[in-house]
Short mmCIF file of all heavy atoms in Angstrom, two decimals:
data_model
loop_
_atom_site.label_atom_id
_atom_site.label_comp_id
_atom_site.label_asym_id
_atom_site.label_seq_id
_atom_site.Cartn_x
_atom_site.Cartn_y
_atom_site.Cartn_z
N LYS A 1 14.97 -18.53 -2.99
CA LYS A 1 14.50 -19.48 -1.96
C LYS A 1 12.99 -19.39 -1.79
O LYS A 1 12.35 -20.36 -1.40
CB LYS A 1 15.19 -19.21 -0.64
CG LYS A 1 16.63 -19.65 -0.62
CD LYS A 1 17.27 -19.37 0.72
CE LYS A 1 18.75 -19.72 0.68
NZ LYS A 1 19.43 -19.36 1.91
N LEU A 2 12.42 -18.21 -2.10
CA LEU A 2 11.00 -18.01 -1.91
C LEU A 2 10.17 -18.20 -3.19
O LEU A 2 9.05 -18.70 -3.13
CB LEU A 2 10.73 -16.59 -1.38
CG LEU A 2 11.32 -16.28 -0.02
CD1 LEU A 2 11.12 -14.81 0.31
CD2 LEU A 2 10.67 -17.15 1.04
N TRP A 3 10.73 -17.79 -4.33
CA TRP A 3 9.96 -17.80 -5.57
C TRP A 3 10.77 -18.36 -6.72
O TRP A 3 11.97 -18.42 -6.69
CB TRP A 3 9.54 -16.37 -5.94
CG TRP A 3 8.58 -15.79 -4.99
CD1 TRP A 3 7.28 -16.12 -4.80
CD2 TRP A 3 8.85 -14.75 -4.05
NE1 TRP A 3 6.72 -15.35 -3.83
CE2 TRP A 3 7.66 -14.49 -3.34
CE3 TRP A 3 9.97 -14.00 -3.74
CZ2 TRP A 3 7.57 -13.53 -2.36
CZ3 TRP A 3 9.87 -13.04 -2.76
CH2 TRP A 3 8.68 -12.82 -2.08
N ARG A 4 10.03 -18.72 -7.78
CA ARG A 4 10.63 -19.10 -9.05
C ARG A 4 9.99 -18.24 -10.14
O ARG A 4 8.82 -17.89 -10.05
CB ARG A 4 10.33 -20.57 -9.37
CG ARG A 4 11.06 -21.54 -8.47
CD ARG A 4 10.79 -22.96 -8.87
NE ARG A 4 9.36 -23.25 -8.72
CZ ARG A 4 8.71 -24.16 -9.41
NH1 ARG A 4 9.33 -24.89 -10.31
NH2 ARG A 4 7.42 -24.37 -9.23
N VAL A 5 10.77 -17.93 -11.14
CA VAL A 5 10.27 -17.17 -12.28
C VAL A 5 10.38 -18.06 -13.50
O VAL A 5 11.41 -18.69 -13.74
CB VAL A 5 11.09 -15.87 -12.47
CG1 VAL A 5 10.62 -15.13 -13.71
CG2 VAL A 5 11.00 -14.98 -11.24
N MET A 6 9.31 -18.12 -14.28
CA MET A 6 9.30 -18.93 -15.49
C MET A 6 8.28 -18.36 -16.46
O MET A 6 7.48 -17.51 -16.10
CB MET A 6 8.98 -20.39 -15.15
CG MET A 6 7.67 -20.60 -14.46
SD MET A 6 7.31 -22.32 -14.01
CE MET A 6 8.56 -22.65 -12.84
N THR A 7 8.33 -18.85 -17.68
CA THR A 7 7.33 -18.42 -18.65
C THR A 7 6.02 -19.12 -18.33
O THR A 7 5.99 -20.17 -17.67
CB THR A 7 7.76 -18.78 -20.08
OG1 THR A 7 7.85 -20.19 -20.20
CG2 THR A 7 9.10 -18.14 -20.44
N MET A 8 4.95 -18.54 -18.79
CA MET A 8 3.63 -19.13 -18.57
C MET A 8 3.54 -20.51 -19.22
O MET A 8 2.96 -21.43 -18.67
CB MET A 8 2.54 -18.21 -19.11
CG MET A 8 1.16 -18.66 -18.84
SD MET A 8 0.85 -18.65 -17.07
CE MET A 8 -0.77 -19.33 -17.02
N LYS A 9 4.17 -20.65 -20.37
CA LYS A 9 4.16 -21.94 -21.07
C LYS A 9 4.89 -22.99 -20.25
O LYS A 9 4.40 -24.12 -20.12
CB LYS A 9 4.83 -21.78 -22.44
CG LYS A 9 4.81 -23.01 -23.28
CD LYS A 9 5.46 -22.78 -24.63
CE LYS A 9 5.47 -24.05 -25.43
NZ LYS A 9 6.12 -23.87 -26.73
N ASP A 10 6.04 -22.65 -19.66
CA ASP A 10 6.77 -23.60 -18.83
C ASP A 10 5.98 -23.95 -17.58
O ASP A 10 5.95 -25.12 -17.16
CB ASP A 10 8.13 -23.02 -18.43
CG ASP A 10 9.09 -22.93 -19.58
OD1 ASP A 10 8.85 -23.60 -20.61
OD2 ASP A 10 10.09 -22.18 -19.48
N TRP A 11 5.33 -22.96 -16.97
CA TRP A 11 4.54 -23.23 -15.77
C TRP A 11 3.37 -24.15 -16.11
O TRP A 11 3.08 -25.09 -15.36
CB TRP A 11 4.01 -21.93 -15.16
CG TRP A 11 3.18 -22.21 -13.94
CD1 TRP A 11 3.65 -22.39 -12.67
CD2 TRP A 11 1.77 -22.37 -13.87
NE1 TRP A 11 2.60 -22.63 -11.82
CE2 TRP A 11 1.43 -22.63 -12.54
CE3 TRP A 11 0.76 -22.31 -14.81
CZ2 TRP A 11 0.13 -22.83 -12.12
CZ3 TRP A 11 -0.55 -22.52 -14.39
CH2 TRP A 11 -0.85 -22.78 -13.06
N ASP A 12 2.73 -23.89 -17.23
CA ASP A 12 1.60 -24.71 -17.66
C ASP A 12 2.02 -26.17 -17.84
O ASP A 12 1.36 -27.09 -17.36
CB ASP A 12 1.05 -24.16 -18.97
CG ASP A 12 -0.44 -24.22 -19.05
OD1 ASP A 12 -1.08 -24.42 -18.01
OD2 ASP A 12 -0.97 -24.06 -20.17
N THR A 13 3.15 -26.38 -18.50
CA THR A 13 3.66 -27.73 -18.72
C THR A 13 4.03 -28.40 -17.39
O THR A 13 3.66 -29.54 -17.13
CB THR A 13 4.89 -27.68 -19.64
OG1 THR A 13 4.53 -27.06 -20.86
CG2 THR A 13 5.41 -29.09 -19.91
N GLU A 14 4.73 -27.68 -16.54
CA GLU A 14 5.18 -28.23 -15.26
C GLU A 14 3.98 -28.50 -14.35
O GLU A 14 3.93 -29.53 -13.67
CB GLU A 14 6.15 -27.27 -14.58
CG GLU A 14 6.77 -27.83 -13.33
CD GLU A 14 7.85 -26.93 -12.78
OE1 GLU A 14 8.67 -26.43 -13.55
OE2 GLU A 14 7.85 -26.73 -11.55
N PHE A 15 3.03 -27.61 -14.32
CA PHE A 15 1.85 -27.79 -13.47
C PHE A 15 1.07 -29.03 -13.90
O PHE A 15 0.65 -29.82 -13.07
CB PHE A 15 0.96 -26.56 -13.51
CG PHE A 15 -0.28 -26.69 -12.66
CD1 PHE A 15 -0.18 -26.58 -11.28
CD2 PHE A 15 -1.51 -26.94 -13.24
CE1 PHE A 15 -1.31 -26.71 -10.50
CE2 PHE A 15 -2.64 -27.06 -12.46
CZ PHE A 15 -2.54 -26.95 -11.08
N LYS A 16 0.88 -29.20 -15.19
CA LYS A 16 0.15 -30.37 -15.67
C LYS A 16 0.89 -31.66 -15.35
O LYS A 16 0.28 -32.66 -14.98
CB LYS A 16 -0.11 -30.24 -17.17
CG LYS A 16 -1.16 -29.22 -17.49
CD LYS A 16 -1.37 -29.05 -18.96
CE LYS A 16 -2.38 -27.95 -19.23
NZ LYS A 16 -2.52 -27.66 -20.64
N ASN A 17 2.22 -31.64 -15.47
CA ASN A 17 3.00 -32.83 -15.13
C ASN A 17 2.92 -33.13 -13.65
O ASN A 17 2.77 -34.29 -13.25
CB ASN A 17 4.46 -32.66 -15.55
CG ASN A 17 4.65 -32.74 -17.04
OD1 ASN A 17 3.81 -33.28 -17.74
ND2 ASN A 17 5.75 -32.20 -17.52
N ASN A 18 3.02 -32.10 -12.81
CA ASN A 18 2.93 -32.31 -11.36
C ASN A 18 1.54 -32.78 -10.96
O ASN A 18 1.39 -33.62 -10.09
CB ASN A 18 3.28 -31.03 -10.61
CG ASN A 18 4.77 -30.76 -10.62
OD1 ASN A 18 5.56 -31.67 -10.85
ND2 ASN A 18 5.14 -29.53 -10.37
N LEU A 19 0.53 -32.23 -11.60
CA LEU A 19 -0.84 -32.64 -11.30
C LEU A 19 -1.04 -34.10 -11.69
O LEU A 19 -1.64 -34.88 -10.94
CB LEU A 19 -1.83 -31.76 -12.06
CG LEU A 19 -3.30 -32.02 -11.80
CD1 LEU A 19 -3.63 -31.77 -10.33
CD2 LEU A 19 -4.15 -31.15 -12.70
N ASN A 20 -0.49 -34.49 -12.82
CA ASN A 20 -0.58 -35.88 -13.26
C ASN A 20 0.14 -36.79 -12.28
O ASN A 20 -0.35 -37.86 -11.94
CB ASN A 20 0.00 -36.02 -14.66
CG ASN A 20 -0.35 -37.33 -15.31
OD1 ASN A 20 -1.36 -37.93 -14.96
ND2 ASN A 20 0.48 -37.79 -16.21
N ASP A 21 1.32 -36.38 -11.79
CA ASP A 21 2.06 -37.18 -10.81
C ASP A 21 1.29 -37.31 -9.51
O ASP A 21 1.30 -38.34 -8.86
CB ASP A 21 3.43 -36.57 -10.54
CG ASP A 21 4.38 -36.75 -11.71
OD1 ASP A 21 4.11 -37.61 -12.57
OD2 ASP A 21 5.39 -36.03 -11.76
N ARG A 22 0.64 -36.24 -9.09
CA ARG A 22 -0.13 -36.27 -7.85
C ARG A 22 -1.30 -37.23 -7.99
O ARG A 22 -1.67 -37.92 -7.05
CB ARG A 22 -0.64 -34.87 -7.51
CG ARG A 22 0.44 -33.95 -7.06
CD ARG A 22 -0.11 -32.59 -6.74
NE ARG A 22 0.97 -31.61 -6.78
CZ ARG A 22 0.82 -30.35 -7.10
NH1 ARG A 22 -0.36 -29.87 -7.38
NH2 ARG A 22 1.85 -29.55 -7.10
N GLN A 23 -1.94 -37.23 -9.15
CA GLN A 23 -3.10 -38.09 -9.34
C GLN A 23 -2.71 -39.54 -9.61
O GLN A 23 -3.43 -40.44 -9.23
CB GLN A 23 -3.94 -37.56 -10.48
CG GLN A 23 -4.61 -36.25 -10.16
CD GLN A 23 -5.37 -35.69 -11.34
OE1 GLN A 23 -5.15 -36.09 -12.47
NE2 GLN A 23 -6.25 -34.75 -11.06
N LEU A 24 -1.61 -39.75 -10.28
CA LEU A 24 -1.24 -41.09 -10.68
C LEU A 24 -0.09 -41.66 -9.86
O LEU A 24 0.44 -42.71 -10.18
CB LEU A 24 -0.85 -41.11 -12.17
CG LEU A 24 -1.95 -40.67 -13.12
CD1 LEU A 24 -1.41 -40.62 -14.54
CD2 LEU A 24 -3.14 -41.57 -13.04
N GLY A 25 0.29 -40.98 -8.82
CA GLY A 25 1.41 -41.41 -8.00
C GLY A 25 1.06 -42.58 -7.10
O GLY A 25 0.04 -43.26 -7.26
N LYS A 26 1.88 -42.85 -6.13
CA LYS A 26 1.68 -43.96 -5.21
C LYS A 26 0.44 -43.80 -4.36
O LYS A 26 -0.11 -44.77 -3.87
CB LYS A 26 2.91 -44.10 -4.31
CG LYS A 26 4.15 -44.49 -5.07
CD LYS A 26 5.35 -44.58 -4.15
CE LYS A 26 6.60 -44.90 -4.94
NZ LYS A 26 7.78 -44.92 -4.10
N ARG A 27 0.02 -42.55 -4.16
CA ARG A 27 -1.13 -42.30 -3.31
C ARG A 27 -2.46 -42.45 -4.05
O ARG A 27 -3.51 -42.22 -3.49
CB ARG A 27 -1.04 -40.89 -2.72
CG ARG A 27 0.15 -40.72 -1.80
CD ARG A 27 0.20 -39.33 -1.27
NE ARG A 27 0.56 -38.44 -2.37
CZ ARG A 27 0.39 -37.14 -2.38
NH1 ARG A 27 -0.16 -36.55 -1.35
NH2 ARG A 27 0.75 -36.41 -3.39
N LYS A 28 -2.42 -42.86 -5.28
CA LYS A 28 -3.65 -42.96 -6.06
C LYS A 28 -4.52 -44.08 -5.50
O LYS A 28 -4.06 -45.18 -5.24
CB LYS A 28 -3.31 -43.25 -7.52
CG LYS A 28 -4.54 -43.36 -8.38
CD LYS A 28 -4.16 -43.61 -9.81
CE LYS A 28 -5.41 -43.80 -10.64
NZ LYS A 28 -5.10 -44.14 -12.00
N TYR A 29 -5.77 -43.76 -5.31
CA TYR A 29 -6.73 -44.72 -4.78
C TYR A 29 -7.75 -45.02 -5.87
O TYR A 29 -8.48 -44.13 -6.30
CB TYR A 29 -7.40 -44.18 -3.54
CG TYR A 29 -8.44 -45.11 -2.96
CD1 TYR A 29 -8.08 -46.37 -2.51
CD2 TYR A 29 -9.76 -44.73 -2.88
CE1 TYR A 29 -9.02 -47.23 -1.99
CE2 TYR A 29 -10.71 -45.57 -2.36
CZ TYR A 29 -10.33 -46.83 -1.91
OH TYR A 29 -11.27 -47.68 -1.40
#
């Protein structure tokens, strides 16, 4: 409930995808 464990490669991929969604999502100005 507090943490997730993953490989650095998986985190890197997920972080970049989430960052892209944050920048290109509905809130993009």
Side-chain angles (χ1 to χ4, degrees):
K1 287 180 184 176
L2 297 174
W3 294 289
R4 290 183 298 154
V5 177
M6 59 182 65
T7 64
M8 185 65 184
K9 183 179 178 181
D10 290 342
W11 180 84
D12 219 15
T13 303
E14 186 173 316
F15 180 75
K16 287 177 183 175
N17 287 340
N18 285 340
L19 183 62
N20 193 26
D21 287 343
R22 289 179 200 151
Q23 291 176 343
L24 300 176
K26 294 178 183 177
R27 296 180 290 163
K28 180 179 177 184
Y29 178 62

